[in-house]
């Protein structure tokens, strides 16, 4: 994330972030891979990361979260999930997707790895007020609807939209934005 012009500046506020698979490759369409992401987000919550909203599509995740050191926490999340997902893909002998991840690796990435899973950075945007929070939460929840995957936000399983409508979602989220 050091090369990104987007930075985490103040850990008092939540941030809207996007984590994208290299070249927008559709890796999260496997429920096993999606569960790696969900389990990792739950682990972050145990480490005092507050998640306000999230959505996972086939190749990216949008997230609103806050922690004492969001930069460190999101870097840990991306490193861990990349290792776990790549290990799963190797185990499944998913040659095509592994070859694509290898091909799209950014050239200046270290020689210590032959595959890059995540695009660099998360483009954090500090949520400064309730108006911005409402806009970002709505954007997150509408993402699968705008892509034509579902007609209503509540129908998308991999999202916090259900929580905001009074149902139980896959990840506990904090809908009280003042916490």
């Amino acid at each position: 994330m050091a090369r990104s012009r987007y930075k985490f500046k103040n850990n008092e506020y939540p941030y809207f972030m996007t984590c994208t698979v290299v070249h927008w490759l559709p890796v999260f369409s496997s429920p096993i891979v999606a569960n790696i992401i969900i389990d990792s987000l739950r682990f972050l919550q145990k480490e005092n990361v507050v998640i306000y909203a999230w959505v996972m599509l086939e190749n990216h995740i949008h997230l609103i979260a806050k922690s004492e050191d969001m930069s460190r926490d999101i870097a840990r999340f991306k490193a861990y999930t990349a290792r776990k997902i790549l290990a799963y893909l190797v185990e499944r002998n998913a040659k095509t997707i592994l070859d694509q991840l290898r091909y799209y690796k950014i050239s200046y990435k270290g020689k210590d790895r032959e595959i890059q899973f995540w695009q660099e950075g998360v483009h954090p945007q500090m949520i400064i007020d309730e108006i911005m929070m409402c806009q970002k939460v709505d954007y997150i929840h509408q993402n699968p609807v705008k892509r034509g995957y579902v007609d209503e936000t509540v129908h998308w399983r991999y999202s916090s939209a259900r929580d905001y409508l009074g149902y139980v979602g896959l990840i506990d989220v904090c809908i009280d934005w003042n916490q």
Side-chain angles (χ1 to χ4, degrees), residues 44-163:
L44 286 178
Q45 288 178 309
K46 291 177 186 170
E47 298 282 307
N48 295 318
V49 173
V50 178
I51 297 176
Y52 296 96
W54 70 282
V55 68
M56 178 176 20
L57 286 98
E58 73 278 6
N59 52 22
H60 70 286
I61 301 160
H62 292 300
L63 180 69
I64 298 174
K66 178 173 86 170
S67 77
E68 290 179 9
D69 190 346
M70 201 69 240
S71 181
R72 178 202 67 207
D73 291 330
I74 204 71
R76 288 178 26 206
F77 167 79
K78 287 175 75 173
Y80 177 78
T81 54
R83 279 192 309 275
K84 291 289 281 186
I85 293 167
L86 290 173
Y88 170 75
L89 294 172
V90 167
E91 176 186 309
R92 300 284 301 172
N93 196 25
K95 185 177 175 359
T96 302
I97 193 79
L98 288 166
D99 286 347
Q100 289 174 323
L101 290 167
R102 202 173 281 113
Y103 179 80
Y104 290 115
K105 176 188 164 214
I106 296 174
S107 61
Y108 61 78
K109 286 291 184 185
K111 294 186 187 336
D112 62 327
R113 67 181 93 142
E114 65 179 68
I115 296 177
Q116 178 181 348
F117 184 79
W118 293 108
Q119 285 184 11
E120 197 171 72
V122 295
H123 306 295
Q125 297 175 31
M126 188 167 54
I127 307 290
I128 56 173
D129 58 29
E130 191 168 341
I131 293 169
M132 188 175 183
M133 179 67 97
C134 288
Q135 289 170 340
K136 295 299 184 184
V137 168
D138 187 54
Y139 175 83
I140 284 172
H141 294 158
Q142 289 297 323
N143 214 261
V145 175
K146 287 182 180 175
R147 288 175 154 240
Y149 297 154
V150 292
D151 291 328
E152 297 179 37
T153 60
V154 72
H155 295 153
W156 191 252
R157 176 168 208 231
Y158 298 107
S159 165
S160 57
R162 291 177 180 188
D163 299 276

